[in-house]
Amino acid sequence: MSLRQREQGPDVRADVRAGAVAGAVAEVRPGAVPEVRPGAVPQDRPGVAPDTRPGAVPDARPDVPADGLAAAFTEAMARLVSGAAVISGRRADGSPCGLLVSSLSSYSVAPPSVMLALARGSRTYRAMDARVGTSFGAHLLGSGDEALAKVFAGHSQDKFAGLAWDWDDGTPRLEGVPVYLKCRVSAVFPHGDHAVLVGEVEDCAVADADPLVYYRRRLDWRLA
């Protein structure tokens, strides 16, 4: 089974050819004028071109050096094909919160459990107070949920405004998504700038739909 892009268009990917990001030396001759090539993309982060094509997900990552292991690792992981899921939780004030992740995966069958990684500096991680016993919802998105994914990839204070959702015994549940898992945190493993959460599944609803596929920081890929 292969992946194809829904829309064709100019390819504005970061140039990761040998020497293009790391190891290249700019020639600075006396009196030389910096070269600005036609069609060049402004660089918000050195060596990384922002993706402005339709279907691109807003890049909320902190700046990282253009050279070294961090940049190479980030680019390598962008080549890992994954699904997209919305993780929802409840703030201390009783309001819903949520974010988009590509790190959700199966952990065990007995008991049914999932595993995901959340940035410890994210607003949703802090708002959820993710610790053992915390409830959360995991919503696997379908190919028609691209707009919904972008809402939860953004920075709105109220991402649930205008959406179809309801409380599931204290857990925000989005309507109309192919898969919904109601979970309770059973273990937390902080490591680096993220925390790995293991959640035991307490309820599950599944409907037939093609998945929303995340690859190379884009969501407009389709199974073919």
Side-chain angles (χ1 to χ4, degrees):
M1 195 168 287
S2 64
L3 292 174
R4 62 180 174 83
Q5 272 185 271
R6 186 185 58 202
E7 298 193 21
Q8 301 297 321
D11 195 351
V12 195
R13 299 189 182 93
D15 190 348
V16 293
R17 292 170 298 169
V21 173
V25 178
E27 181 182 2
V28 184
R29 293 170 296 169
V33 178
E35 180 185 1
V36 181
R37 292 170 295 166
V41 178
Q43 303 287 302
D44 291 333
R45 295 194 306 277
V48 180
D51 193 342
T52 57
R53 294 172 293 171
V57 178
D59 190 351
R61 297 167 301 154
D63 289 347
V64 295
D67 55 353
L69 181 60
F73 173 75
T74 300
E75 201 58 49
M77 289 298 96
R79 266 69 172 172
L80 179 64
V81 179
S82 68
V86 169
I87 304 301
S88 64
R90 182 173 182 168
R91 294 187 177 98
D93 65 5
S95 61
C97 59
L99 80 167
L100 184 74
V101 302
S102 60
S103 60
L104 184 71
S105 63
S106 172
Y107 182 75
S108 73
V109 176
S113 302
V114 296
M115 178 176 66
L116 67 148
L118 296 180
R120 296 165 69 185
S122 72
R123 291 180 304 165
T124 299
Y125 177 79
R126 297 193 302 268
M128 284 176 58
D129 190 22
R131 54 184 172 179
V132 173
T134 299
S135 294
F136 67 91
H139 307 76
L140 276 63
L141 304 184
S143 58
D145 295 323
E146 186 177 326
L148 182 63
K150 290 182 179 180
V151 169
F152 285 93
H155 300 283
S156 171
Q157 291 290 338
D158 185 5
K159 298 178 183 178
F160 286 79
L163 299 180
W165 71 280
D166 203 351
W167 291 107
D168 179 13
D169 192 23
T171 300
R173 177 177 180 173
L174 296 167
E175 297 180 6
V177 298
V179 177
Y180 167 72
L181 305 170
K182 182 184 178 184
C183 308
R184 188 173 301 276
V185 177
S186 57
V188 180
F189 303 100
H191 180 76
D193 57 2
H194 278 60
V196 175
L197 275 59
V198 176
E200 289 193 14
V201 178
E202 299 180 333
D203 195 12
C204 179
V206 181
D208 242 356
D210 285 340
L212 187 64
V213 177
Y214 184 62
Y215 175 62
R216 297 192 74 165
R217 305 185 185 92
R218 298 181 59 81
L219 289 166
D220 59 346
W221 300 89
R222 298 292 181 261
L223 299 179

